[in-house]
Amino acid sequence: MLPKTVHSPSPERPCLAGKAGEVLPVDIAGTKAIKAAVPITCAETLPLIDAAGRACASPIVSTIDLPPFDNSAMDGYAVRLRDFSEPGPWGLPVVARIPAGQPATSSYPAGCTVRIFTGAPVPQGFDAVVMQEHCERSGDMATFSLKPPAGQNIRRAGEDVSKGAAVVAAGEPLTPARIALLAAIGTATVEVRRKIRIGLISTGSELVEPGEPLGPGQIYNSNRFFLRAALDRPWIETVDFGIVADDPEAIRTMVSEAARSCDVVITTGGVSAGEEDHMMDVLKRENAELEVLKVAMRPGKPVTVGRIGSALFFGLPGNPYATAATFARMALPAIKRTAGFQNLSASWMPAVSGFTYRRKQGRTEYVPVTWSRRNADGLPIVEMLGRGSSASLSPLAMARATAVLPPDLADIEPGMTLRLEPVCE
Ligand code: AMP
Ligand code: MG
């Protein structure tokens, strides 16, 4: 285990976050953030219908076969292949009718067929179902002109899930499809990790809330809205502490209260080195264990990750695009780990550039993009939105995705392969 002795960056005192706030590559900073996260262990039992989106707390094993019995995949006629040994066509008397929801009786006479419907149990000894379109019905007789292959149109018991099989692992999210699967095997309640509490603090003396008049020098608090929207998930309970002015005492009081009552604390603003940036000072006085101070990403170089007591802490930069980018890349995977999820990586897809961009190397850059065309391979041909200013929100709001430009990538030319990630998964 790594020793946790780091409190704040200082030239005399190197720390785990890097020497005096060394700029860490994105992947290293991201790994440190994930390592700083401690998964919650508490679980609660919920009715299945209320468990959507939550992290499954313990593996779920099926106690039944799915489907529970051999059943018909078609409306048609159940037949026995041994009745097709003579040359065709074959006429067989229809001796019974089995709609879905009715049991099949165990014995039917030799040399007969049974009218059957989708989802109805296939009687024992019957090997195939011939769809009704492939047979001639006349009175009580059905005539078949083709011998069906064995098993045709029969869904076998257990072919989807066999009794005893693991269907959902601990740490997997209960997606709509998994909820449906659990219902199909008869699960009424499910054990999930408890919701995590995330405290949100918007720092900045210039901030006012939408709905209030905008005074001179003031701006609306957009980061709070981005984060509230991004945190609006079934496994998160957000505790919104609102706006705090750039006053070290006021920030400290609020950060300390949030750290005591929440699993995760997210602040925005005040993490740079300016005179009005008080977060580092507050963290030092709160004895925070800091793992990340600066990340080689654009936007979002100053971003603080660490722990205050039992809470995971993220000090995100105030510029709106920087808030969004650092939340998505640095905070979200670690937050998912805190909540007990196993898979932390963002999804991505390949694309090709439709633009030229002269870039400065050295940082991973997140560029808002959109597209309306695809190349011959079906890959989106993406256009860059805006000039990537960390203060601009409109390119991000228009973006369909973010292109991730690695630190050592040279200028971007049309036709180059790019990696796209969601703006915020
Ligand atoms: P800071 O990180 O405090 O230096 O802030 C950087 C820039 O982001 C400044 O222009 C702030 O006014 C702006 N900013 C900080 N917090 C917010 C917020 N919650 N909503 C919108 N803009 C913000
Ligand atoms: Mg500020």
Side-chain angles (χ1 to χ4, degrees):
M1 230 176 92
L2 283 175
K4 288 206 167 161
T5 50
V6 178
H7 296 283
S8 77
S10 83
E12 310 81 53
R13 192 165 161 192
C15 72
L16 291 182
K19 290 176 218 77
E22 181 191 338
V23 182
L24 300 173
V26 165
D27 49 349
I28 291 178
T31 304
K32 280 179 180 281
I34 286 169
K35 276 197 181 147
V38 178
I40 54 158
T41 49
C42 272
E44 58 183 332
T45 301
L46 293 181
L48 182 63
I49 200 76
D50 297 326
R54 302 289 293 269
C56 184
S58 46
I60 300 172
V61 167
S62 182
T63 56
I64 61 166
D65 274 336
L66 186 64
F69 49 88
D70 290 358
N71 69 97
S72 178
M74 290 284 170
D75 287 356
Y77 292 85
V79 295
R80 299 172 176 118
L81 294 189
R82 65 166 185 265
D83 294 330
F84 290 75
S85 47
E86 303 295 318
W90 303 269
L92 297 171
V94 182
V95 300
R97 186 175 185 278
I98 316 173
Q102 258 184 37
T105 67
S106 52
S107 64
Y108 293 96
C112 75
T113 181
V114 168
R115 178 77 170 119
I116 195 165
F117 297 87
T118 307
V122 174
Q124 243 195 337
F126 284 71
D127 319 291
V129 171
V130 177
M131 60 194 285
Q132 59 194 19
E133 292 82 353
H134 293 170
C135 110
E136 287 282 323
R137 175 78 187 258
S138 165
D140 282 345
M141 289 297 285
T143 304
F144 306 92
S145 45
L146 284 175
K147 180 182 176 180
Q152 175 177 270
N153 296 326
I154 297 179
R155 304 187 286 218
R156 293 292 179 195
E159 75 174 28
D160 191 357
V161 175
S162 53
K163 185 177 170 176
V167 287
V168 183
E172 284 184 333
L174 295 172
T175 58
R178 289 184 182 132
I179 293 276
L181 178 59
L182 293 178
I185 61 166
T187 313
T189 59
V190 55
E191 218 193 329
V192 298
R193 298 281 167 90
R194 73 158 167 83
K195 288 187 182 195
I196 58 167
R197 280 166 67 86
I198 302 189
L200 201 56
I201 300 172
S202 312
T203 78
S205 300
E206 71 279 35
L207 303 176
V208 293
E209 296 295 355
E212 292 170 12
L214 205 55
Q218 295 184 321
I219 59 165
Y220 287 120
N221 182 3
S222 62
N223 290 338
R224 173 178 170 227
F225 285 79
F226 176 87
L227 291 170
R228 284 290 295 268
L231 294 170
D232 187 6
R233 298 171 195 236
W235 46 277
I236 292 175
E237 180 195 342
T238 304
V239 186
D240 195 336
F241 289 85
I243 296 170
V244 59
D246 292 315
D247 167 63
E249 274 317 308
I251 298 173
R252 185 175 177 195
T253 304
M254 210 177 257
V255 166
S256 154
E257 190 194 330
R260 267 183 279 117
S261 57
C262 297
D263 302 295
V264 179
V265 177
I266 303 177
T267 66
T268 59
V271 280
S272 303
E275 263 169 53
E276 290 297 329
D277 294 322
H278 304 297
M279 200 53 74
M280 285 317 304
D281 215 36
V282 165
L283 293 172
K284 194 172 185 176
R285 289 166 61 204
E286 286 296 307
N287 290 322
E289 301 164 18
L290 298 181
E291 306 287 341
V292 176
L293 296 169
K294 288 180 195 154
V295 184
M297 62 189 283
R298 183 182 290 117
K301 187 172 170 190
V303 45
T304 305
V305 185
R307 295 194 70 84
I308 305 175
S310 60
L312 180 63
F313 175 83
F314 295 96
L316 307 183
N319 273 314
Y321 185 21
T323 295
T326 53
F327 174 78
R329 270 76 203 184
M330 292 296 130
L332 192 53
I335 290 173
K336 285 184 181 169
R337 175 153 196 251
T338 306
F341 290 107
Q342 288 295 330
N343 180 13
L344 310 175
S345 48
S347 54
W348 65 275
M349 66 173 187
V352 292
S353 166
F355 60 92
T356 305
Y357 174 45
R358 308 265 159 256
R359 69 185 296 261
K360 253 202 269 172
Q361 287 169 298
R363 291 203 238 166
T364 304
E365 206 167 345
Y366 298 91
V367 175
V369 295
T370 191
W371 64 90
S372 53
R373 303 176 291 148
R374 288 177 184 268
N375 72 5
D377 297 325
L379 298 181
I381 303 171
V382 301
E383 303 300 337
M384 183 174 175
L385 292 161
R387 297 318 290 175
S389 161
S390 63
S392 301
L393 262 178
S394 58
L396 196 60
M398 286 188 298
R400 290 180 72 176
T402 318
V404 183
L405 314 181
D408 48 358
L409 196 67
D411 292 344
I412 309 298
E413 305 292 349
M416 277 173 69
T417 304
L418 298 176
R419 176 187 171 104
L420 299 193
E421 289 180 6
V423 171
C424 181
E425 196 147 53

